[in-house]
Amino acid sequence: MGTLLTAQNIFGVIFIVIALVQFYFARNYARTIKQQGTTGPQTFAPMTTWLNYVSSIIFLVIGLSLIFGSLSH
């Protein structure tokens, strides 16, 4: 039980939660743009959506590597 609550595991879980929230926001933004659009120009909408997806994947990889990676032991 003592090795379960290490700082690396706690930060790993935090990064995974951030990744899931970021993915949810990206998906919600993409749906909103697709259904309703915006009143202003959508120049940065595709780039914003893809950067949100990429950042969620990066957070997920960091979180999983903190929990299961070589740094965890």
Side-chain angles (χ1 to χ4, degrees):
M1 183 77 179
T3 61
L4 183 64
L5 293 176
T6 62
Q8 287 179 345
N9 288 343
I10 292 171
F11 280 114
V13 170
I14 290 172
F15 272 105
I16 290 173
V17 168
I18 290 173
L20 293 175
V21 169
Q22 186 73 22
F23 184 78
Y24 171 75
F25 287 153
R27 192 179 70 166
N28 191 22
Y29 180 71
R31 276 191 197 167
T32 302
I33 291 296
K34 199 180 288 186
Q35 291 175 355
Q36 299 172 358
T38 60
T39 58
Q42 297 181 13
T43 308
F44 296 108
M47 183 176 63
T48 303
T49 305
W50 281 108
L51 286 177
N52 282 335
Y53 283 128
V54 168
S55 65
S56 68
I57 290 171
I58 289 172
F59 282 135
L60 185 65
V61 167
I62 290 172
L64 290 175
S65 68
L66 282 173
I67 293 176
F68 299 115
S70 62
L71 296 176
S72 66
H73 299 321

